[in-house]
Structure formats: structure tokens, C-alpha cells
Amino acid sequence: MLIERIGKGAGKIETGNNKTRIEMKYLLTFCLTIIFCEVFAQRQPLIITVKDKQNLEPLPGATITLIPGNLNAIADKEGRARLILPPAADSSISLRAAVSVAGYIADTVFLKGEQKIEVLLASQTGFLEEVAVTGSMRTVKRSASPVPVEVYTSKFFQANPTPSIFDALQNINGVRPQLNCNVCNTGDIHINGLEGPYTMALIDGMPIVSGLSSVYGLSGIPQSLIERVEIVKGPASTLYGSEAVGGLINIITKKPGNAPLLSADVFGTSWAEVNTDLAAKFNAGKNAQSLVGLNYFNYQNPVDNNKDNFTDVTLQNRVSIFNKWNFDRKDSRAFSLAGRYVYEDRWGGEMNWSKKYRGGDEVYGESIYTNRWELFGTYQLPLKEHIMFQFSANGHDQNSVYGVTPYLADQYIGFGQLTWFRTFGKHDLLTGLTYRYIYYDDNTPATADGEHIDLNKPTKTKLPGLFIQDEIALNDRHKILLGMRYDYNSLHGSIFTPRINYKWSSANKNNTLRLSFGNGYRVASVFTEDHAALTGAREVVFINDLKPETSWNGNLNFVKKVVVGNTFIDLDASAFYTYFTNKIIPDYDTDPNKIIYDNLDGYAVSKGVSLNIEAAFQNGLKIQAGATAMDVYNTEEGEKKRQMFSERFTGVWNIGYAFKNIGLAIDYTGNLYGPMRLPLLSDADPRSEYSPWWSIQNIQLTKRIGDKMEVYGGAKNLLNWTPNKGNPFIIARANDPFDKNVQFDAGGQAMATPDNPYGLTFDPSYVYGPNQGIRAFLGLRYNLFR
């Protein structure tokens, strides 16, 4: 525009003769050439390319704004925008470019003389066009996967900061962290109403969290190192073997190359909880990068708001160290190695308990010492074919007492998997060989040597397996996945698990239909999976040798994407049905003094529908909400009975708004649960047989300070809801936890007496939600990328 204005002005110069005009023409041409060269030299175009951080796809329509100033540019269909920078009038001013696009988290980059910059933006809502690996063991776009996979980025979990990934899952539709004990607060993850042992938890695709660690393994993973969490609802045993019956949670950690140079996330609450996440990366030579993380959580403030003389929340002291290495190899072949160590000391019980009472019958307490190590990695063989070797090993040592009952256990698991992937025309073929070895030993009857109960015989399980999967692209819109797996369990013999998945997508890719059908199986380990078998006064009884459980599942999933201007809306609806045989259900009803375990002589069903809605608006508003309606029950001898601790309705929401001009964001998160059936000790037990409708709601404000720091704070459990409301008590006989004053009849049943009017025994298993009321929190988050 500068050249054009000067040219127009020159055209109006009038002189008296042609010679003067010619001289002026040459003079102006010379001046314009000098000016053009100077301007061009000072105003080279800057090319900014904007891409999705996860799948590296270009983001057309992204807005780039120069700061300071008001120069704007819009990215083209390739995600590229060109900016002509003004002359640097003041070298003390740092030029920056603010980059934003609907559905993604805005970013600001410093301009330091580069002519080309690539900006990677993270999804604003959690799973808009993320990549997924869990459904088919291959990295693909979530929309291209024939298996329905939900993907949640680390940003999703920052809307409601928690000290562990176990707590963080509470805002995901159909997923519920279930506390199993009012005293020590251990728990598991329910997916679509199914208990925790039916959910398999992976770290980077490795079966790290299982068996003894299924109760504790999801604590202590530094959230600053989590890239995303992928969730598959329904059986996945065809690829992942036993335990993947009800669903799968895969925690994907960050690659060192994608992580900040240094990061810290520290927050505390008004209950005196302190959580610290620290992470740093460094290079070791030219071909190795390392990421180190530390998580520390401390809570040492006994609280008894419900006045039962028991701690409302378990006291904890936990430290976890994580280290991951990536190695650059020829032809970009993969090689990564990671390790984690966790130590935790937790206790709950009577308010005056201390370690001197550990294991005695003077003051009741539940104390658990956990030492755990993990090692896992991936190595791509130096061959032309795509052959991967994945491996993991972990050891878990638990030293615990529940009142006067000691539970001492050791578990070691080794796992190796060799996979080969190749494309043959329309076929993507994946085959694999697996081997898993499990060593387990404890001081319970589970490892007694037959009738010689005083002799110990550790359990050693060998589990070789073979699987094959063929993903067939019939055309651009239709895809079929066929898979089957064969395992041989050294204790239970041969196990075969098939599956089939079908995917259809519309021509514009805005509509996707998925249909899946498959089989799952699980081998139970009661004492490692069900905390109720250890706590309280109930006796654990096994009627028969437990057989592996089997499930058949059908799932229908439909995804609709709607784009209105700069507003993006995702609708994700599913219907599911799972049929179980040989299901192992703890029987609390037959005898109030016992928990009876046996395979169900009948069948069990989990069925329901769910809907997720996700919307991102250009003005900074984002909404993510979901609801699931389900019916989980078992039928035996013609009698239908609703499953314990299973709600028929659950809803979640995550609503956020960003005030971009002042760097402030607000997040309102919450969940809502319908009634669930709870275990009572007798007909005279005054506690409610069903829980009420209940909800946990939270609010958070986040203020961005510069480009590296955020300060956040807010309130958790705004409604101050706790499960004791509406009940005379939660823990039965909290005043007599060793049953010293309980009188029993000839049949071993507790009798009603003036001191025990309901005829109860000590029982802390009546639990369905967290017993922690409203609290404030304040935190600081720091990320240094350069």
C-alpha cells in the first residue's frame, strides 16, 4: 500500500517540459527501487502454520493476532497464514503472536526473527479429533477407529484438579470411582455399573495395574506426565486378555520431546491436603531424551465431622517417582523405556489411633504400607517388517493390618508381547504373541496348601497367548475389524475370545456408526480385588473353587458432528448390553456375619444407554456433559436381584468459559448419581437400603500470568454433601469395632441387647461416596518450554 500511494502521487506531478518529466520519471523509479528494497528488507513475510497438537492436521480458519498492535491474519486451508511484520522501532518491545481457533486452547508465541513458525494447539474440550491407540493397538484418529474410544487430554482433568488419576475419573460419563471402605478409603473404578475388577488399567498400553495393585495402582501417577487417557467401554479381552471384561483405561504418558522443559503443579486445600507434581526433561547426548516426574501427596489432618470417632478421610503420605526415556534410532524406529516407584503409608480408624496400636485390639485402625516398582518399554526390531516388542515387569509389596487382621502380600508380574503389523491392500493385519507370568503370595487361605492351612503355597500363573486382528477397509465409508485370541491359563486351561467391529461414516465424515460384538473373560482373585474381604467383622466363605467369568457384549455407537459457523458440537450416543456367565458376586444377604463367594448359578446382565454432548464456541464457552441410564442385575433360580453398589443413572458435566482478554477462565464441574442398593446387616439395620440421589459439584477460577504460569483456586463439593446425611450412622458399631460387647446366639447371629438395639456387628462396608465435605483449594501451575 505504501508503494501504491507514492505511485499515485507521482502521477500528478506537472512540469513544463518533457525532459523534466523524463528526469523525474527516472528519479522516481530510482527512489522507488531504493524504498522497495528497504521496505522488503525490513518486512519479510512471516509464515505461521497452525496444526492440531495430537494428530498434526492443519487447522484452517485459525486467527493470528500480532501483539502489540492489531495486525490480523487468517490461516488458509493448509493452516498457513502470512504476516508482514512492521519495522522494529523499539528493540525492547517483544513481538508476540496470539493464535486461536474454535475448539482449541489459544496459545501465544514469541517472535524472535524466524521466518517460519509452527504452532501446535491442544483440543479445548478433551476429545475433538484426538488420536487413539487403545481400541486396535495402533495409533489412528479417534474418528477412524472401528472401536469406540473416548480420549481425554490432560487439559480436561485440569478443570477439576485432584491428587490422583483415580479421583480425576469422576467427571467422565459412565465411569465412577467407587470407595470400598469407610476406614481406609481404598477403591476401584466402575465402568457402566460393573465393579472395579472388570476394568483393566494400562500405562502406555502395558498391563501394569492389576491384581494386588488394582486397589492402589491408580494413585501416585504424576498428572503432569499424563498426555491423555483413553477409555474403551465393553470387553477388550481379544487384544488385552483377562480382566478387560467390562472396560479398559489406558493412561498415555508424555513423550520427552513433547513435554515442557520444566513443569510444576502444586495445590493445597483447606483440609490441609498438599499435592505436588514436578517434572523435567533433559537430553542425554544426541540420541536420548529423558523425562523425570515426582508426585508427592500428604494429608495428616484427622477430621471427624460426622462424630462417629472415626476419621472421615484416610490419612496418607505418598511419594511416586517416574522416569521415561526415548531413544532416537535409525529409520525412526521406536525405543522407549520407563519406570515408576511408589511408596505409600495410609491409615484410617479411631481418632486416637497411632502406630503403637497397629495390629492390636485396643484402638481400631487400618494401616497399609505399600512399596511398588514398575518397569515397562517398547522396542521396534531392526527389520524391514513392522515388528514391536513390548515388555513390563512390576513388584508389589503390601504390609497391612485391618484391626487385628494382618494382610501381608507380595505380587510379581512379568509380561512380554511381540506384535507384527502389515498392510495388504485393504487389510491392516496385526498379530501378536503374549506371555504373562504372575507370582502371588499372602497370609490368607487363598495361598494355603490345600487342607494343610498352616503351609504356604504361592500361586504361580503362566498365561501364554496368541491373537490376530484384521481391519478391512471395504471402501472409504465402510470398515470391518475381525479379531480373535487364544490364551492358555495354567490353572484354568484354554480360553478363546473373538470379536467383530463394524464402522460406517458419511461422505462428509460428520456421521459415524459403530457396531461391535465380543467376548471377555476374567480370572478372579478375591483378596487382591475386594477390600470387603479383609475389613470388618464378616467372615469370608468360599463355597466352591471359583471358575473364570465369561461375558458377551454388544455395543451400538453413533457420533454426530455439527459445525455452525465457528461453533463445534459433538453428539456421541451408545447402547450397550453385556451378558455374564459364571459371574462371581459377593453375597452379603444370606448371612449378615459372612461374605459368601461363589460363581453365580444363573446369569448377570449390564445394559443401558448413554449420551455425551460436547460443544465449543468461538466466544470461549465450552460445554461437555453426559448421562448414562443402566440396569445391572443378576438372575438366579428365577429371581432377579439388583447388583450392589450400582446406580441406575449417572450424569456428569464440565462447563468452562474463558475471558481471553484478561487471561481468566472459570470451570464448573460436577456429577449426579441415582440410588444404589447397599449392604445391610439385618432386617433391623436402621440404615437406608438404597442411597439417595447425590451430587458432587466444584468450581474453579484460573488466572494466566504471562506465558508460563497459572494460578487456580476454587471450592470442591459446593453442596457440602456427605453420605451420612439421612442416616443414623454409616459405620455400624463404630463404638465397638472389635465386637467386644456384642452377644451372639447359638447360631452365631448377633443378638439385640440394650447396648446393641439393632443386633449389629462392626461393619465399615456401607459406603458409596466420599465422606469429605466442602473445602477450598488454591494452586500454582508452571510450564517452561524453552
PDB file of all heavy atoms in Angstrom, residues 230-249:
ATOM      1  N   GLU A 230      -7.272 -42.810  27.570  1.00  0.00           N
ATOM      2  CA  GLU A 230      -8.187 -43.408  26.610  1.00  0.00           C
ATOM      3  C   GLU A 230      -9.050 -44.453  27.320  1.00  0.00           C
ATOM      4  O   GLU A 230      -8.549 -45.234  28.136  1.00  0.00           O
ATOM      5  CB  GLU A 230      -7.411 -44.071  25.470  1.00  0.00           C
ATOM      6  CG  GLU A 230      -6.520 -43.094  24.719  1.00  0.00           C
ATOM      7  CD  GLU A 230      -5.745 -43.739  23.586  1.00  0.00           C
ATOM      8  OE1 GLU A 230      -5.931 -44.952  23.338  1.00  0.00           O
ATOM      9  OE2 GLU A 230      -4.958 -43.035  22.951  1.00  0.00           O
ATOM     10  N   ILE A 231     -10.329 -44.467  27.002  1.00  0.00           N
ATOM     11  CA  ILE A 231     -11.271 -45.359  27.672  1.00  0.00           C
ATOM     12  C   ILE A 231     -12.081 -46.127  26.629  1.00  0.00           C
ATOM     13  O   ILE A 231     -12.649 -45.539  25.704  1.00  0.00           O
ATOM     14  CB  ILE A 231     -12.211 -44.572  28.603  1.00  0.00           C
ATOM     15  CG1 ILE A 231     -11.396 -43.914  29.726  1.00  0.00           C
ATOM     16  CG2 ILE A 231     -13.290 -45.481  29.184  1.00  0.00           C
ATOM     17  CD1 ILE A 231     -12.215 -43.066  30.658  1.00  0.00           C
ATOM     18  N   VAL A 232     -12.104 -47.446  26.786  1.00  0.00           N
ATOM     19  CA  VAL A 232     -12.947 -48.321  25.978  1.00  0.00           C
ATOM     20  C   VAL A 232     -13.967 -48.953  26.918  1.00  0.00           C
ATOM     21  O   VAL A 232     -13.594 -49.542  27.938  1.00  0.00           O
ATOM     22  CB  VAL A 232     -12.125 -49.421  25.280  1.00  0.00           C
ATOM     23  CG1 VAL A 232     -13.047 -50.392  24.550  1.00  0.00           C
ATOM     24  CG2 VAL A 232     -11.124 -48.804  24.314  1.00  0.00           C
ATOM     25  N   LYS A 233     -15.235 -48.812  26.603  1.00  0.00           N
ATOM     26  CA  LYS A 233     -16.298 -49.386  27.422  1.00  0.00           C
ATOM     27  C   LYS A 233     -16.803 -50.658  26.748  1.00  0.00           C
ATOM     28  O   LYS A 233     -17.272 -50.627  25.627  1.00  0.00           O
ATOM     29  CB  LYS A 233     -17.439 -48.378  27.587  1.00  0.00           C
ATOM     30  CG  LYS A 233     -17.008 -47.109  28.319  1.00  0.00           C
ATOM     31  CD  LYS A 233     -18.098 -46.052  28.326  1.00  0.00           C
ATOM     32  CE  LYS A 233     -17.628 -44.787  29.026  1.00  0.00           C
ATOM     33  NZ  LYS A 233     -18.638 -43.697  28.960  1.00  0.00           N
ATOM     34  N   GLY A 234     -16.681 -51.768  27.477  1.00  0.00           N
ATOM     35  CA  GLY A 234     -17.039 -53.059  26.917  1.00  0.00           C
ATOM     36  C   GLY A 234     -15.806 -53.954  26.846  1.00  0.00           C
ATOM     37  O   GLY A 234     -14.675 -53.497  27.005  1.00  0.00           O
ATOM     38  N   PRO A 235     -15.997 -55.266  26.612  1.00  0.00           N
ATOM     39  CA  PRO A 235     -14.890 -56.212  26.630  1.00  0.00           C
ATOM     40  C   PRO A 235     -13.798 -55.873  25.619  1.00  0.00           C
ATOM     41  O   PRO A 235     -14.077 -55.474  24.492  1.00  0.00           O
ATOM     42  CB  PRO A 235     -15.558 -57.548  26.277  1.00  0.00           C
ATOM     43  CG  PRO A 235     -16.973 -57.385  26.665  1.00  0.00           C
ATOM     44  CD  PRO A 235     -17.294 -55.947  26.390  1.00  0.00           C
ATOM     45  N   ALA A 236     -12.541 -56.036  26.044  1.00  0.00           N
ATOM     46  CA  ALA A 236     -11.383 -55.853  25.162  1.00  0.00           C
ATOM     47  C   ALA A 236     -10.405 -57.003  25.351  1.00  0.00           C
ATOM     48  O   ALA A 236      -9.214 -56.863  25.112  1.00  0.00           O
ATOM     49  CB  ALA A 236     -10.713 -54.511  25.448  1.00  0.00           C
ATOM     50  N   SER A 237     -10.930 -58.156  25.791  1.00  0.00           N
ATOM     51  CA  SER A 237     -10.064 -59.305  26.075  1.00  0.00           C
ATOM     52  C   SER A 237      -9.394 -59.853  24.822  1.00  0.00           C
ATOM     53  O   SER A 237      -8.355 -60.503  24.909  1.00  0.00           O
ATOM     54  CB  SER A 237     -10.868 -60.409  26.763  1.00  0.00           C
ATOM     55  OG  SER A 237     -11.277 -60.022  28.047  1.00  0.00           O
ATOM     56  N   THR A 238      -9.974 -59.606  23.649  1.00  0.00           N
ATOM     57  CA  THR A 238      -9.385 -60.132  22.419  1.00  0.00           C
ATOM     58  C   THR A 238      -7.974 -59.602  22.212  1.00  0.00           C
ATOM     59  O   THR A 238      -7.101 -60.313  21.721  1.00  0.00           O
ATOM     60  CB  THR A 238     -10.272 -59.772  21.208  1.00  0.00           C
ATOM     61  OG1 THR A 238     -11.575 -60.285  21.437  1.00  0.00           O
ATOM     62  CG2 THR A 238      -9.711 -60.352  19.933  1.00  0.00           C
ATOM     63  N   LEU A 239      -7.723 -58.349  22.590  1.00  0.00           N
ATOM     64  CA  LEU A 239      -6.383 -57.775  22.460  1.00  0.00           C
ATOM     65  C   LEU A 239      -5.606 -57.807  23.759  1.00  0.00           C
ATOM     66  O   LEU A 239      -4.387 -57.965  23.762  1.00  0.00           O
ATOM     67  CB  LEU A 239      -6.466 -56.332  21.957  1.00  0.00           C
ATOM     68  CG  LEU A 239      -6.715 -56.116  20.469  1.00  0.00           C
ATOM     69  CD1 LEU A 239      -6.670 -54.636  20.147  1.00  0.00           C
ATOM     70  CD2 LEU A 239      -5.696 -56.861  19.619  1.00  0.00           C
ATOM     71  N   TYR A 240      -6.312 -57.639  24.897  1.00  0.00           N
ATOM     72  CA  TYR A 240      -5.605 -57.397  26.144  1.00  0.00           C
ATOM     73  C   TYR A 240      -5.753 -58.516  27.171  1.00  0.00           C
ATOM     74  O   TYR A 240      -5.182 -58.434  28.250  1.00  0.00           O
ATOM     75  CB  TYR A 240      -6.079 -56.076  26.755  1.00  0.00           C
ATOM     76  CG  TYR A 240      -5.734 -54.891  25.885  1.00  0.00           C
ATOM     77  CD1 TYR A 240      -6.667 -54.348  25.006  1.00  0.00           C
ATOM     78  CD2 TYR A 240      -4.469 -54.327  25.934  1.00  0.00           C
ATOM     79  CE1 TYR A 240      -6.346 -53.279  24.198  1.00  0.00           C
ATOM     80  CE2 TYR A 240      -4.142 -53.244  25.128  1.00  0.00           C
ATOM     81  CZ  TYR A 240      -5.087 -52.718  24.262  1.00  0.00           C
ATOM     82  OH  TYR A 240      -4.769 -51.650  23.469  1.00  0.00           O
ATOM     83  N   GLY A 241      -6.523 -59.548  26.870  1.00  0.00           N
ATOM     84  CA  GLY A 241      -6.578 -60.703  27.751  1.00  0.00           C
ATOM     85  C   GLY A 241      -7.472 -60.508  28.958  1.00  0.00           C
ATOM     86  O   GLY A 241      -8.389 -59.684  28.966  1.00  0.00           O
ATOM     87  N   SER A 242      -7.192 -61.309  30.008  1.00  0.00           N
ATOM     88  CA  SER A 242      -8.019 -61.327  31.213  1.00  0.00           C
ATOM     89  C   SER A 242      -8.097 -59.952  31.846  1.00  0.00           C
ATOM     90  O   SER A 242      -7.202 -59.127  31.711  1.00  0.00           O
ATOM     91  CB  SER A 242      -7.441 -62.326  32.216  1.00  0.00           C
ATOM     92  OG  SER A 242      -8.193 -62.346  33.406  1.00  0.00           O
ATOM     93  N   GLU A 243      -9.204 -59.724  32.535  1.00  0.00           N
ATOM     94  CA  GLU A 243      -9.530 -58.508  33.280  1.00  0.00           C
ATOM     95  C   GLU A 243     -10.174 -57.436  32.416  1.00  0.00           C
ATOM     96  O   GLU A 243     -10.875 -56.575  32.931  1.00  0.00           O
ATOM     97  CB  GLU A 243      -8.306 -57.924  33.997  1.00  0.00           C
ATOM     98  CG  GLU A 243      -7.704 -58.880  35.020  1.00  0.00           C
ATOM     99  CD  GLU A 243      -6.403 -58.353  35.580  1.00  0.00           C
ATOM    100  OE1 GLU A 243      -6.273 -57.130  35.745  1.00  0.00           O
ATOM    101  OE2 GLU A 243      -5.511 -59.170  35.855  1.00  0.00           O
ATOM    102  N   ALA A 244      -9.945 -57.445  31.109  1.00  0.00           N
ATOM    103  CA  ALA A 244     -10.558 -56.440  30.242  1.00  0.00           C
ATOM    104  C   ALA A 244     -11.963 -56.885  29.862  1.00  0.00           C
ATOM    105  O   ALA A 244     -12.305 -57.031  28.694  1.00  0.00           O
ATOM    106  CB  ALA A 244      -9.708 -56.212  28.999  1.00  0.00           C
ATOM    107  N   VAL A 245     -12.805 -57.102  30.878  1.00  0.00           N
ATOM    108  CA  VAL A 245     -14.147 -57.636  30.668  1.00  0.00           C
ATOM    109  C   VAL A 245     -15.173 -56.519  30.544  1.00  0.00           C
ATOM    110  O   VAL A 245     -15.985 -56.500  29.627  1.00  0.00           O
ATOM    111  CB  VAL A 245     -14.532 -58.583  31.823  1.00  0.00           C
ATOM    112  CG1 VAL A 245     -15.942 -59.117  31.627  1.00  0.00           C
ATOM    113  CG2 VAL A 245     -13.546 -59.726  31.916  1.00  0.00           C
ATOM    114  N   GLY A 246     -15.151 -55.590  31.476  1.00  0.00           N
ATOM    115  CA  GLY A 246     -16.134 -54.518  31.469  1.00  0.00           C
ATOM    116  C   GLY A 246     -15.656 -53.257  30.792  1.00  0.00           C
ATOM    117  O   GLY A 246     -16.461 -52.433  30.349  1.00  0.00           O
ATOM    118  N   GLY A 247     -14.341 -53.080  30.695  1.00  0.00           N
ATOM    119  CA  GLY A 247     -13.817 -51.879  30.076  1.00  0.00           C
ATOM    120  C   GLY A 247     -12.317 -51.775  30.264  1.00  0.00           C
ATOM    121  O   GLY A 247     -11.676 -52.608  30.912  1.00  0.00           O
ATOM    122  N   LEU A 248     -11.768 -50.713  29.684  1.00  0.00           N
ATOM    123  CA  LEU A 248     -10.326 -50.548  29.634  1.00  0.00           C
ATOM    124  C   LEU A 248      -9.979 -49.076  29.823  1.00  0.00           C
ATOM    125  O   LEU A 248     -10.602 -48.203  29.219  1.00  0.00           O
ATOM    126  CB  LEU A 248      -9.822 -51.033  28.271  1.00  0.00           C
ATOM    127  CG  LEU A 248      -8.337 -51.264  28.082  1.00  0.00           C
ATOM    128  CD1 LEU A 248      -7.877 -52.457  28.907  1.00  0.00           C
ATOM    129  CD2 LEU A 248      -8.056 -51.536  26.611  1.00  0.00           C
ATOM    130  N   ILE A 249      -8.992 -48.800  30.684  1.00  0.00           N
ATOM    131  CA  ILE A 249      -8.485 -47.444  30.874  1.00  0.00           C
ATOM    132  C   ILE A 249      -6.996 -47.464  30.556  1.00  0.00           C
ATOM    133  O   ILE A 249      -6.237 -48.193  31.193  1.00  0.00           O
ATOM    134  CB  ILE A 249      -8.713 -46.956  32.313  1.00  0.00           C
ATOM    135  CG1 ILE A 249     -10.202 -46.902  32.635  1.00  0.00           C
ATOM    136  CG2 ILE A 249      -8.084 -45.588  32.533  1.00  0.00           C
ATOM    137  CD1 ILE A 249     -10.503 -46.580  34.087  1.00  0.00           C
TER     138      ILE A 249
END
